Amino acid sequence: MGSYTQLNYHIVYATKYRHPSIIPDIRERLYEYIGGSIRAKKGSLIEIGGIADHVHILANLSPSLAVSDVVRDIKANSSHWMNDRTEIKRPFEWQKGYGAFTVSYSRIPSVRDYIQTQEEHHKTTTFQEEYVAFLERHGIEFRLEHLFEDEQHG
């Protein structure tokens, strides 16, 4: 008997200090680069989106790799890629940490729709509010004072 998996993750992470660093002129190319990074790790990108201060990724990942390793490599590689772009006027970094939530195959369409409508969603909700809601919805314990880096406290 063979081994079969369907390991889908909704991954969310922000820019350092949530600076609006993902400018529209480069956003699609960044997303393409991240998709290539996921494919290089034996995964497949299902959907990607976000706004200037964070990204949402819906991906099917290989069971042979740890989610933490995949996310670490995607963040590191895409940071280097962003810093090589002349359009970026300040050093680019992702914030430490990330959220990764499993997604049932039957929920993929609704998560895709959610990611595709980020611009609209964030007209009324900040990234911080959205992220806290994700953690609460998934029963993840956290301390708010340790959740986000800011420029004053790192």
Side-chain angles (χ1 to χ4, degrees), residues 73-86:
D73 291 349
I74 291 168
K75 287 173 68 177
N77 294 338
S78 60
S79 286
H80 292 300
W81 184 87
M82 286 287 279
N83 282 308
D84 287 342
R85 310 281 70 84
T86 58

Side-chain angles (χ1 to χ4, degrees), residues 96-154:
K96 293 177 187 171
Y98 63 92
F101 312 97
T102 56
V103 177
S104 170
Y105 184 76
S106 64
R107 298 285 296 154
I108 287 175
S110 61
V111 176
R112 285 187 82 171
D113 181 60
Y114 179 80
I115 292 171
Q116 291 169 353
T117 57
Q118 281 292 291
E119 294 279 347
E120 187 66 27
H121 175 72
H122 285 290
K123 289 180 181 175
T124 59
T125 305
T126 67
F127 171 70
Q128 292 92 321
E129 292 166 337
E130 175 186 53
Y131 195 71
V132 166
F134 271 119
L135 295 175
E136 289 173 344
R137 187 177 315 125
H138 289 87
I140 298 171
E141 293 183 22
F142 62 93
R143 291 181 55 187
L144 193 56
E145 64 270 19
H146 298 294
L147 205 52
F148 301 107
E149 296 172 283
D150 61 42
E151 291 183 275
Q152 292 76 33
H153 301 100

Side-chain angles (χ1 to χ4, degrees), residues 5-13 31-49 55-63 65-68 70-71 74 98-105 107-113 115:
T5 63
Q6 182 66 251
L7 303 175
N8 306 301
Y9 296 91
H10 182 178
I11 301 164
V12 184
Y13 51 88
Y31 293 168
E32 290 170 8
Y33 183 85
I34 290 172
S37 294
I38 291 169
R39 287 187 297 278
K41 294 288 182 184
K42 303 177 188 170
S44 61
L45 180 65
I46 300 168
E47 192 66 55
I48 189 167
V55 66
H56 290 259
I57 298 167
L58 177 60
N60 179 275
L61 300 181
S62 170
L65 300 172
V67 175
S68 58
V70 173
V71 173
I74 291 168
Y98 63 92
F101 312 97
T102 56
V103 177
S104 170
Y105 184 76
R107 298 285 296 154
I108 287 175
S110 61
V111 176
R112 285 187 82 171
D113 181 60
I115 292 171

Side-chain angles (χ1 to χ4, degrees), residues 22-33 48-49 81:
I22 307 171
I23 59 174
D25 292 350
I26 202 164
R27 190 172 297 160
E28 288 306 314
R29 289 185 289 153
L30 171 64
Y31 293 168
E32 290 170 8
Y33 183 85
I48 189 167
W81 184 87

